[in-house]
Amino acid sequence: MTPLGRIIAGRIAQDGPMRLDDYMRLCLMHPQHGYYPTRDPFGAGGDFVTAPEISQMFGEMVGLALAQAWLDQGSPAPFALAELGPGRGTLMADILRAARQVPGFCAAAQVALVEASPHLRALQRQRLGQVAHLDHAGQLPEMPLFLVANEFFDALPIRQFQRMAGGWAERVVSLRDGALALALAQPAPLPRAGAEGEIWETCPEGPPVMAEIAGRIARHGGAALIIDYGNWDGRGDSLQALRAHAFEGVLDHPGEADLTAHVDFAPLAAAALAAGAAVSAPVPQGEWLLSLGIAQRARRLADAGDGGAPDALERLTGPAAMGQLFKAMAIFPRHAVPPPGFVPLSPRETGPFPDASPVGL
Ligand code: SAH
């Protein structure tokens, strides 16, 4: 068992079964043994590769989309240029480089990074120089906000419920013969339809983060681009562990594997609307990047001698790679045009919102 596994087993022995969101939070963020505070998980030598680490083209497209939204809203100055969970700082570096082409944008931008891991904060400072680091989105300044979050919401802890004959029961981490094991807790009061055996996931921290962002955009202007893998509902077990580029059981190596879950965009959209902002329909990442001209950019990079550009284009946009599973969604002020590549959410197309906050949770 890993050192963190022993700590978790000790807590369960003392306090009883642990909820999955508590387990996930400890695995990802325990100060001494958590996944993010203790390592650099990105890139070929790490556990997984994110879009900005695949190619500079991703950050360039995000940067130009944010700069276009800034121009469309009258070039407000100063403004906060923010990122949630910036990893190595690669995406923000590419955004700033691409946006240098837009006069006034970088001079008016006050960079603010929401990052929980001290280790990654240091990497971000190496890459970007002195930047403001915040603990959570509630600390973002009250000013126009142009923000990106790539693979941030999938790292927020989730809870899972399973439909049994008599109702829903929460999935928890328990002990079996001294080892960590998944179990079902007491029935949970969850008024949702669901076939027996079905699993439903909810991410309690996601909507409050979204409300902080969308409230600022509604009050002061701005735009947020949320990019992540996921869908428009929380049905099914999507919790996964990734270690050295291979999937494994979520209880196998607590603290040493990355844990993520599919993002349910519907409750995030609902929180943004409730905070007074407008929301786009989620667009598949491939479709969004192609609509911004990434294929033309890849051709120019290839012509200039970047032999990896065609392959990177395929990984970012191909339906069998990241193009279809990953979605992009934009938040913007009600009376502004949507950022490039997005159309406003039409409830008719996407159906009603599933319950974002069921009774009794
Ligand atoms: N956006 C980067 C990294 C994604 S990994 C990229 O695309 O490469 C998730 C990032 O979110 C990491 O930087 C991690 O430390 C950070 N993170 C995860 N949970 C967080 C939380 N609750 N608060 C702040 N940062 C968090």
Side-chain angles (χ1 to χ4, degrees):
M1 214 187 271
T2 64
L4 184 60
R6 282 194 288 278
I7 293 172
I8 290 173
R11 283 205 197 170
I12 294 172
Q14 202 176 346
D15 304 334
M18 183 180 282
R19 276 171 27 184
L20 272 182
D21 55 337
D22 294 329
Y23 173 76
M24 200 171 161
R25 196 174 297 109
L26 284 170
C27 288
L28 293 181
M29 288 297 171
H30 186 280
Q32 282 86 44
H33 305 292
Y35 183 73
Y36 285 115
T38 54
R39 72 198 71 219
D40 170 10
F42 313 102
D47 294 306
F48 58 92
V49 183
T50 56
E53 302 297 338
I54 289 176
S55 163
Q56 66 184 72
M57 295 186 289
F58 182 78
E60 290 169 353
M61 295 300 125
V62 170
L64 293 175
L66 287 176
Q68 181 68 54
W70 178 75
L71 289 169
D72 287 340
Q73 292 182 39
S75 311
F79 72 92
L81 178 61
E83 182 173 357
L84 306 183
R88 281 178 172 169
T90 308
L91 174 54
M92 184 53 82
D94 289 336
I95 289 172
L96 288 167
R97 189 170 36 75
R100 241 183 263 139
Q101 296 170 36
V102 180
F105 184 88
C106 291
Q110 298 182 359
V111 176
L113 307 178
V114 176
E115 174 58 67
S117 157
H119 179 73
L120 292 176
R121 281 186 180 197
L123 284 183
Q124 292 154 18
R125 238 177 263 122
Q126 268 176 26
R127 190 70 194 264
L128 299 164
Q130 274 308 323
V131 287
H133 272 120
L134 312 176
D135 293 326
H136 55 83
Q139 297 171 337
L140 286 165
E142 287 288 345
M143 57 165 66
L145 173 64
F146 291 82
L147 175 143
V148 63
N150 183 63
E151 293 210 49
F152 171 79
F153 285 94
D154 68 7
L156 295 183
I158 58 148
R159 298 174 70 178
Q160 284 187 340
F161 298 87
Q162 188 166 350
R163 181 65 199 257
M164 311 304 289
W168 293 88
E170 181 151 16
R171 296 184 91 201
V172 290
V173 184
S174 178
L175 287 176
R176 198 175 301 135
D177 302 326
L180 300 179
L182 285 174
L184 287 171
Q186 296 302 310
L190 194 62
R192 286 184 63 85
E196 200 175 328
E198 187 175 306
I199 288 176
W200 180 72
E201 293 179 343
T202 179
C203 175
E205 292 179 24
V209 170
M210 180 54 93
E212 295 287 352
I213 295 165
R216 283 166 177 74
I217 290 172
R219 287 190 291 278
H220 310 291
L225 306 178
I226 311 299
I227 306 148
D228 228 309
Y229 78 118
N231 291 304
W232 195 250
D233 69 48
R235 269 181 299 170
D237 172 14
S238 76
L239 185 60
Q240 65 180 34
L242 198 57
R243 190 162 159 265
H245 297 271
F247 290 108
E248 62 171 39
V250 297
L251 304 179
D252 289 358
H253 294 95
E256 294 178 4
D258 184 39
L259 296 181
T260 59
H262 280 220
V263 172
D264 178 2
F265 283 91
L268 297 180
L273 291 171
V279 179
S280 81
V283 194
Q285 172 173 302
E287 200 179 298
W288 183 60
L289 292 174
L290 289 169
S291 77
L292 295 176
I294 195 172
Q296 290 83 331
R297 180 67 180 137
R299 216 169 301 129
R300 284 196 46 187
L301 286 172
D303 289 345
D306 178 351
D311 177 56
L313 176 68
E314 180 57 29
R315 289 175 70 187
L316 292 171
T317 64
M322 299 177 85
Q324 189 64 38
L325 177 60
F326 280 73
K327 312 286 187 304
M329 186 171 83
I331 316 301
F332 48 100
R334 275 191 188 152
H335 301 294
V337 293
F342 294 101
V343 294
L345 183 68
S346 145
R348 208 160 32 87
E349 280 169 0
T350 46
F353 289 110
D355 302 335
S357 52
V359 183
L361 296 183

